[in-house]
């Protein structure tokens, strides 16, 4: 059993008071590791809540530097951080919230040839990426490495998320098969997003990570939670693990990781 | 015919209908940005034009949603 210091008992008292978490759950959080892919709209709130919760080891991956246009929603980055690597900015805020943590930063883009060695050794992964090739890559690598993860996507006023426990529940490919053709994906000027949507979805993803680690409640497995913030309409769509999934099905056609073609965004950030 | 789309019952005025017809009828801008689940099975994109829909079918439109860092 871990000895909690008086400072820790006070810091985590609202978890410890919570019947489903308690001292044991807080110990699990302190011993857990989560990798956050993307230090953007989704990754920022996830990073801050996981740091606050005392997740002992947090990795964060992002190759970009902070741009002024990020600040409308990427709440771990402040005006002073413009031109600073996003992972460094996020690390600084996480440690400011909770200095006890082991934060690992990866200032790079995940590719087929580096993702496996990076995600290996983490208990849970958060997909907070902005593009489909990386979303599929995260899914494929997590299924191959058998690491549960939370998928998240936001667009305009909408958000969606599902939690994947590889080989037990539907993976992202079970339902979405392959990236959409790059020319069909809305360009940046057609897209945009209401800032707070990122927080709404990111905090759901953070909650899923905390639930997974502490073994609390029912995860969003086999479920696509979608919402539209214009009318605050939340829906759950049932998914299922598909026997014809090209990745986790009975006769998988995908047996190794490949980099998919990427649509390049004209606008900065 | 009466079908269910994303959990809600809808009456469609058509006797014969394919997945692509329904996507057009429901004003889905870009069929390539939606994955269609029919009675729990995923319909491959190339089969949207040949897969028929019958009364009491349950369909789910799963939209591709990128964004995150964006
Ligand atoms: Zn699958």
């Amino acid at each position: 059993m871990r000895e909690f210091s008086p400072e820790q008992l006070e810091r985590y008292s609202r978890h410890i008071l919570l019947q489903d978490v308690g001292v044991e759950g807080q110990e699990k959080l302190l011993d857990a590791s989560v990798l956050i892919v993307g230090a953007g709209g989704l990754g920022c709130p996830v990073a801050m809540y996981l740091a606050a919760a005392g997740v002992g080891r947090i990795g964060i991956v992002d190759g970009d530097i902070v741009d002024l246009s990020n600040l409308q929603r990427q709440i771990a980055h402040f005006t002073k951080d413009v031109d600073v690597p996003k992972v460094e900015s996020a690390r600084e805020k996480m440690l400011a919230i909770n200095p006890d943590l082991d934060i690992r930063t990866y200032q790079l883009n995940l590719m087929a040839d580096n993702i496996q060695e990076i995600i290996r050794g983490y208990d849970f992964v958060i997909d907070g990426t902005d593009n489909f090739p990386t979303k599929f890559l995260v899914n494929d690598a997590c299924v191959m490495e058998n690491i549960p993860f939370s998928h998240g996507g936001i667009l305009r006023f909408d958000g969606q998320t599902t939690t994947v426990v590889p080989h037990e529940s539907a993976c992202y490919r079970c339902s979405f098969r392959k990236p959409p053709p790059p020319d069909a994906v809305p360009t940046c000027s057609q897209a945009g997003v209401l800032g707070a949507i990122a927080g709404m979805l990111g905090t759901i993803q953070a909650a899923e990570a905390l639930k997974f680690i502490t073994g609390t409640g029912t995860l969003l497995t086999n479920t696509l939670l979608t919402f539209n913030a214009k009318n605050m309409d939340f829906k759950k769509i049932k998914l299922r693990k598909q026997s014809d999934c090209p990745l986790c099905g009975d006769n998988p056609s995908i047996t190794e990781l490949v980099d998919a073609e990427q649509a390049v965004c004209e606008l900065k950030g | 015919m009466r079908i269910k789309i994303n959990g809600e019952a809808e009456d469609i005025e058509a006797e014969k209908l394919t997945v692509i017809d329904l996507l057009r009828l429901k004003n889905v801008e870009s069929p390539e940005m939606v994955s269609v689940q029919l009675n729990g099975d995923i319909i491959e994109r190339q089969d949207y034009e040949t897969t028929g829909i019958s009364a009491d079918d349950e369909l789910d439109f799963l939209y591709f949603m990128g964004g995150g860092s964006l």
Side-chain angles (χ1 to χ4, degrees), chain B:
Chain B
M1 65 174 103
R2 173 163 285 198
I3 57 175
K4 259 189 185 172
I5 302 174
N6 287 10
E8 280 171 33
E10 290 203 33
D11 288 308
I12 304 288
E13 286 186 38
E15 285 172 22
K16 280 184 109 182
L17 200 69
T18 64
V19 169
I20 196 78
D21 294 335
L22 183 66
L23 289 172
R24 290 199 186 112
L25 200 66
K26 299 308 293 178
N27 296 317
V28 174
E29 283 170 46
S30 174
E32 285 154 323
M33 292 302 291
V34 59
S35 185
V36 177
Q37 190 165 250
L38 174 59
N39 300 324
D41 294 324
I42 297 295
I43 308 300
E44 298 287 344
R45 242 173 273 162
Q46 64 265 24
D47 298 332
Y48 286 0
E49 312 218 348
T50 53
T51 305
I53 293 167
S54 323
D56 300 325
D57 277 348
E58 295 189 10
L59 289 114
D60 295 302
F61 295 164
L62 314 175
Y63 290 91
F64 279 88
M65 227 172 264
S69 305
L70 207 72

Side-chain angles (χ1 to χ4, degrees), chain A residues 139-140 143 164 167 169-177 240-249:
Chain A
N139 177 73
D140 297 355
V143 169
V164 176
H167 308 293
S169 71
C171 83
Y172 186 56
R173 270 194 203 272
C174 280
S175 309
F176 289 94
R177 299 298 152 112
R240 72 179 190 211
K241 192 173 177 302
Q242 301 286 352
S243 57
D244 62 349
C245 173
L247 182 70
C248 75

